[in-house]
């Protein structure tokens, strides 16, 4: 995968864009993965929202991680399956994008995000606007080859204290 686009590796193809208000896409979950967290399906929806916002802002501004007012975990997606992604942009200005979205796999709902907000910053602070514009065109065409995401390292929590069924405290060693 082209390194500059590693941050946008959960959208393989954009299948439709409607006047900045709705965007649809897909992501093929690599079959070689052990599993696929529903949190990553939420990331795919957020990345699709980012593409919609950047396109509507003519690649001058882009959202960064924001807030989700509601997240409904509705199902699971497995390696080898295709996530169908939909985002409805409710509003967009120089300061923020407000959207909702969902992902399905084989027609089964996986995740729904409601009342989401991504603060907008200048694209040039993080990316090359021309390169993102070109990547968007590729995604809107034939798309990119699946498999950019190769999985997450194993993360082990070490419980340090707690009371069973009530609360727990743990440490996590962040991989290098």
């Amino acid at each position: 995968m082209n390194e500059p686009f590693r941050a946008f590796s959960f959208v393989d193809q954009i299948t439709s864009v409607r006047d900045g208000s709705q965007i649809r896409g897909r992501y093929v979950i690599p079959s070689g993965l052990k599993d696929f967290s529903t949190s990553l399906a939420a990331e795919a929806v957020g990345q699709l929202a980012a593409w919609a916002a950047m396109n509507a802002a003519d690649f001058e501004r882009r959202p960064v991680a924001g807030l989700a007012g509601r997240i409904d975990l509705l199902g699971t997606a497995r390696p080898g399956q295709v996530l169908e992604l939909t985002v409805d942009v409710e509003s967009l200005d120089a300061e923020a994008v407000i959207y909702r979205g969902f992902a399905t796999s084989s027609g089964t709902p996986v995740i729904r995000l409601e009342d989401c907000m991504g603060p907008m910053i200048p694209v040039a602070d993080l990316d090359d606007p021309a390169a993102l514009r070109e990547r968007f065109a590729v995604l809107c065409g034939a798309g990119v080859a699946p498999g950019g995401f190769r999985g997450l390292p194993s993360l082990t929590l070490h419980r340090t204290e707690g009371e069973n069924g009530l609360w727990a405290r743990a440490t996590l060693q962040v991989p290098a």
Side-chain angles (χ1 to χ4, degrees), residues 18 63 117 162:
R18 189 175 58 187
M117 186 277 301

Side-chain angles (χ1 to χ4, degrees), residues 68-93:
R70 179 176 170 172
I71 301 171
D72 295 324
L73 306 174
L74 305 169
T76 59
R78 293 179 177 45
Q81 292 181 323
V82 177
L83 285 179
E84 297 292 339
L85 311 167
T86 300
V87 168
D88 293 310
V89 175
E90 296 173 9
S91 70
L92 172 69
D93 59 29

